Amino acid sequence: MDNSLLVSLSQQLAAFRAIDVIANNIANASTPGYKRESSKFEEYVAHMKPAEGQTGTQQVSFVRGAGTVRDNSQGALNQTGAPFDLAIAGKGFFEVQTPQGLRYTRDGHFSLDANGQIVNSSGYPLQGDGGAITITPDDGDIHIAPDGTVSGRTGQLAKVQVADFADESAMVKEGTNLYSTSQAAVAPAVIDIRQGALENSNVQPVIEISHMIEVMRAYEATATLTKSQQDMQMTAVEKLGTMPTA
């Protein structure tokens, strides 16, 4: 295959990956605690055999995907008034217990399940200093202090666990707004939990749409170049077929 077609193909694949990431950002623009991502690419230089009319090894520059970069900046805090909606102002993650072990999230949209446990939207229990936090009807209205202390009519019930990590960018995204990590969890220097509030996604839809348009234009330009190369090859083949034989 002609080197120009290989380069065009690498650019189209890169654009396709970028569009996929942007579309995921837009889809999660209203997901509490979601952190936007952007595609990362790097140049890959290969030494190719010369095409017809060229001499010597040709240095060809391709586009290669290098993963995604997550923007860990905090989203705006939105007051909901729901007693089990929680938002962390500043550093830290809520801990939830899953069948695969502890996982971490900034999504503080919690509620009570049938057993009186505070759980996230997937039914995984929020962790306190003694494990899952259970609320009974006798506890009355629940108050959660900024330091995570959970109290009711019967007194202090638990304390919400908040974990922080040395390198947030190294945390692995696992879906449903959960992260895993092999890093040791530490307590944040300051714990500031806001009851009755949620952290909004830090995605700005207008900016994401503008990025989508830019990537689509780049994809279309590359596709046009590819088609032009293919048309030239077809024309050359047709002319070769009409040449008289000796």
Side-chain angles (χ1 to χ4, degrees):
M1 184 182 291
D2 190 277
N3 290 341
S4 62
L5 293 179
L6 290 173
V7 172
S8 297
L9 179 60
S10 74
Q11 292 176 341
Q12 288 181 66
L13 290 173
F16 181 80
R17 295 190 189 100
I19 290 173
D20 189 48
V21 171
I22 293 171
N24 188 58
N25 287 337
I26 295 173
N28 286 281
S30 60
T31 301
Y34 177 82
K35 304 302 179 186
R36 72 174 297 274
E37 296 180 328
S38 57
S39 300
K40 183 179 180 182
F41 300 100
E42 60 187 12
E43 181 183 22
Y44 176 75
V45 179
H47 296 281
M48 310 289 288
K49 293 181 179 180
E52 184 178 354
Q54 297 176 331
T55 57
T57 302
Q58 301 297 305
Q59 184 171 290
V60 183
S61 178
F62 296 91
V63 180
R64 182 168 65 179
T68 57
V69 178
R70 188 165 56 244
D71 177 6
N72 289 309
S73 62
Q74 182 169 323
L77 301 188
N78 177 42
Q79 296 296 321
T80 66
F84 297 107
D85 278 349
L86 304 175
I88 298 175
K91 302 279 285 183
F93 294 83
F94 296 111
E95 294 184 2
V96 295
Q97 184 67 50
T98 76
Q100 292 74 38
L102 284 176
R103 295 296 184 264
Y104 307 93
T105 183
R106 294 281 297 190
D107 184 352
H109 184 46
F110 298 107
S111 59
L112 288 184
D113 68 4
N115 298 318
Q117 290 186 336
I118 301 178
V119 297
N120 70 356
S121 56
S122 298
Y124 301 141
L126 173 66
Q127 297 298 287
D129 49 3
I133 303 173
T134 302
I135 308 298
T136 68
D138 294 335
D139 294 323
D141 293 336
I142 299 302
H143 175 70
I144 301 177
D147 68 351
T149 300
V150 182
S151 58
R153 187 163 48 208
T154 57
Q156 182 174 331
L157 306 174
K159 190 171 184 179
V160 177
Q161 290 287 93
V162 178
D164 194 17
F165 302 95
D167 185 6
E168 291 183 3
S169 63
M171 299 179 73
V172 179
K173 185 177 179 181
E174 294 201 352
T176 64
N177 233 357
L178 298 178
Y179 299 92
S180 64
T181 181
S182 59
Q183 302 176 75
V186 298
V190 177
I191 298 177
D192 187 3
I193 295 177
R194 310 288 178 86
Q195 184 179 16
L198 290 174
E199 178 187 359
N200 290 340
S201 165
N202 63 2
V203 172
Q204 298 183 51
V206 173
I207 293 178
E208 296 300 320
I209 291 173
S210 67
H211 288 166
M212 176 76 79
I213 293 172
E214 291 174 0
V215 174
M216 290 181 67
R217 285 175 176 170
Y219 180 89
E220 290 170 356
T222 306
T224 300
L225 175 62
T226 300
K227 188 176 185 305
S228 297
Q229 291 289 330
Q230 291 175 331
D231 289 345
M232 289 176 61
Q233 290 181 350
M234 289 296 295
T235 301
V237 170
E238 290 173 357
K239 288 184 176 180
L240 182 62
T242 58
M243 291 181 64
T245 58

